[in-house]
Amino acid sequence: MTNNFISDETPIVGKLSIISMKGCEAITARIDEYLKAFRHCENIDTYVTHVNCPRFGTGEGKCVIDETVRGHDVYIICDVFNYGVTYKMYGVENHMSPDDHFQDLKRIIAAMGGKARRVTVVMPMLYEGRQHRRSGRESLDAALMLQELVNMGVANIITFDAHDPRISNAIPLSGFDDVQATYQMIKALVRNVPDISMNKFDTIVISPDEGGMSRCMYYSSVLKLDLGMFYKRRDYSRIVNGKNPIVAHEYLGRDVNGMDVIIVDDMISSGESVIDVATNLKKQGAKRIFVFASFGLFCNGLDCFDNAFKNGIVDKIFTTNLIYRNPELANREWYCEVDMSKYMSLLIDTLNHDETISKLLDPVNKINALVDKLENK
C-alpha cells in the first residue's frame, strides 16, 4: 500500500508521533496500521506516543507523556464528544464532558513544554463549534478555543465538516483545515445500497435547513443531481432549551414523488429535525430516504429512529467513526458506519512530508470515477 499524494523524494518534516486522547484508541490504532503500510516500515512498531491523563480524587487532572517528543511532528487525535469515557470524583463515576476533554487536550500540549517541532490537533467535531457566532450578550466559545490553542503553540487544526467554516476567521494567520467526508459517504451509499441510481430523474439531494446549503450544493454538483431545501420556521417569541423552537419545516424544490432522497447534514443531535424533514418528504411521495451526517450524536437515544425505520420513514443513516458512537448502533438495521481512518492517515502522512493536501480535500475525480463505475455496472 502506498500514499500516492507524496513523492518518494519528499523529506519528512520531523519524526512522526501520534497521540491518542482518551476514547480515540480504536481509530488511532487503525491510522497507525495504515501509516506503517504506507511507509513499509519493518523496524517501527508504532507511531503512537503513549500519554496518560490521570485524575485525582477531587476531579483535578494532569498529563504525563511517557516518551520524548523533542523535535517531533506531533498529531493529537481528539474526540471531545466521547461521553463513553468516565472518571471518578469523590467516589462518584462521571462521564467526561466536552469541557473535560478540552482541558486534557491543553494538558497534553502543556506537557510537551514547547519541545515538539510542530503540533497539529485533529479534532473531527469542533469543540463548541455550534457556538460559532454571537447573537446578543453571549460567549463566542469556538473562537476563544481556537485562539487558545494557537497561543499554546498549535500550528494547525484539522476538523471535519465544521458547523460554520467561517469560524477559521478567528485565527486568520494560523492553519485551519475543514475536511469533508463526501467521497466516503457516497462510497458507503453505493456499497450498502447497490441499486441506487445517480440519475437526476431518480435521486435528489435535500438540505434540511438553509445553513447546510453549501455542503448540499457540493453533493448536488459533483453527482449532477437536483437540489432541494427546507427552511425552519421558528417561534421567535419564546426560547426553549436556549433556542427558538421550530414551528414547521417548509420545503423548497422540485417534486420528490417516486424519487430516492439523500438528506445531508453535519450532525444528528436529537434527530427530531431530520425525522420531521423525512416525514414531510414521505408525505410528498418520496421513495427511499437516506441520511448523511458526519457526526451521529443521537443525544436523545435511538428509539425515535427505530420507530422511523419501522414506519418506513427513513431507510438508512450514514455517520462516520470520527467520534464516539453509541454501541447499540451496531445492531441497528438502519445504521451504516463510514470508516474515515484511511483518509485521516493519508492526511497525516502527507502533512508530515510537508506536501499539499489540496487533492485530498477535493475528491471530485474519485467521485466521478465511482459514479461512472456505478452507471456502467
Side-chain angles (χ1 to χ4, degrees):
M1 186 183 296
T2 57
N3 182 353
N4 297 321
F5 296 94
I6 61 174
S7 169
D8 293 335
E9 290 77 29
T10 306
I12 294 175
V13 170
K15 186 176 179 181
L16 178 60
S17 286
I18 301 174
I19 292 177
S20 170
M21 290 190 59
K22 289 181 180 178
C24 300
E25 294 84 1
I27 193 168
T28 302
R30 296 193 59 138
I31 292 171
D32 188 40
E33 290 300 319
Y34 276 116
L35 286 169
K36 288 187 289 185
F38 291 152
R39 299 185 175 199
H40 310 289
C41 295
E42 297 179 356
N43 59 339
I44 295 181
D45 294 328
T46 180
Y47 288 103
V48 178
T49 296
H50 186 262
V51 302
N52 187 26
C53 293
R55 295 269 173 168
F56 300 102
T58 57
E60 299 167 287
K62 67 176 182 179
C63 173
V64 179
I65 300 179
D66 295 335
E67 306 164 40
T68 181
V69 292
R70 184 182 293 274
H72 290 202
D73 191 12
V74 179
Y75 293 80
I76 306 173
I77 313 297
C78 173
D79 175 15
V80 297
F81 294 90
N82 194 324
Y83 61 92
V85 180
T86 62
Y87 66 95
K88 282 191 175 182
M89 185 172 73
Y90 292 98
V92 179
E93 197 79 14
N94 289 275
H95 291 267
M96 287 188 70
S97 70
D99 293 337
D100 292 324
H101 283 290
F102 184 57
Q103 286 300 121
D104 274 358
L105 171 61
K106 292 191 291 183
R107 290 182 179 111
I108 291 171
I109 298 169
M112 295 180 196
K115 302 301 189 298
R117 182 169 183 176
R118 184 169 66 184
V119 177
T120 299
V121 172
V122 183
M123 187 185 293
M125 188 172 177
L126 209 58
Y127 172 74
E128 294 292 355
R130 298 167 79 177
Q131 187 55 24
H132 59 283
R133 64 179 179 221
R134 175 173 286 147
S135 177
R137 297 187 186 93
E138 59 184 21
S139 57
L140 199 55
D141 296 53
L144 289 173
M145 177 272 298
L146 293 175
Q147 292 174 358
E148 190 169 6
L149 291 181
V150 168
N151 290 336
M152 292 186 72
V154 173
N156 193 37
I157 296 164
I158 300 175
T159 191
F160 286 75
D161 205 354
H163 193 65
D164 188 339
R166 291 174 295 184
I167 194 62
S168 63
N169 293 334
I171 48 170
L173 300 181
S174 301
F176 183 92
D177 292 306
D178 181 23
V179 186
Q180 304 297 317
T182 312
Y183 171 68
Q184 288 77 14
M185 286 287 187
I186 297 171
K187 183 169 68 172
L189 174 64
V190 170
R191 285 182 174 177
N192 288 276
V193 189
D195 62 336
I196 188 72
S197 170
M198 294 301 177
N199 186 304
K200 69 176 183 178
F201 300 107
D202 302 319
T203 307
I204 186 172
V205 177
I206 299 290
S207 175
D209 54 43
E210 59 275 18
M213 276 298 288
S214 58
R215 68 175 62 88
C216 289
M217 287 169 64
Y218 186 84
Y219 276 94
S220 172
S221 61
V222 297
L223 294 175
K224 298 179 177 61
L225 301 177
D226 285 333
L227 176 64
M229 184 194 81
F230 280 83
Y231 74 91
K232 297 175 180 177
R233 188 149 52 86
R234 295 181 180 271
D235 182 359
Y236 289 98
S237 65
R238 58 197 181 99
I239 296 177
V240 178
N241 294 328
K243 58 185 178 181
N244 302 107
I246 300 170
V247 176
H249 287 90
E250 305 288 350
Y251 176 64
L252 300 173
R254 63 169 292 184
D255 183 14
V256 298
N257 186 40
M259 299 182 72
D260 286 333
V261 177
I262 302 174
I263 301 174
V264 184
D265 208 352
D266 60 333
M267 72 178 76
I268 295 174
S269 183
S270 66
E272 294 177 359
S273 180
V274 72
I275 290 177
D276 191 15
V277 166
T279 302
N280 191 311
L281 291 168
K282 276 293 185 179
K283 289 179 180 178
Q284 297 182 45
K287 182 182 175 183
R288 294 180 296 183
I289 294 180
F290 309 108
V291 180
F292 290 174
S294 296
F295 310 111
L297 302 173
F298 302 103
C299 296
N300 292 356
L302 307 178
D303 291 344
C304 60
F305 288 95
D306 290 337
N307 293 330
F309 176 72
K310 181 179 178 181
N311 296 328
I313 295 173
V314 173
D315 291 85
K316 292 284 184 184
I317 294 178
F318 297 82
T319 73
T320 69
N321 63 337
L322 292 169
I323 64 169
Y324 177 75
R325 282 91 57 218
N326 187 327
E328 296 179 9
L329 280 170
N331 302 321
R332 295 308 198 265
E333 187 179 346
W334 46 264
Y335 178 70
C336 295
E337 183 175 282
V338 180
D339 183 19
M340 300 294 292
S341 54
K342 183 178 181 181
Y343 191 27
M344 292 176 72
S345 62
L346 285 169
L347 289 167
I348 291 172
D349 191 33
T350 305
L351 288 171
N352 184 229
H353 285 82
D354 246 5
E355 286 280 7
T356 178
I357 59 173
S358 297
K359 292 182 179 179
L360 276 167
L361 299 179
D362 188 13
V364 172
N365 293 333
K366 296 180 72 174
I367 294 173
N368 289 338
L370 182 64
V371 173
D372 289 343
K373 183 178 179 181
L374 177 65
E375 291 178 350
N376 293 333
K377 182 179 178 181

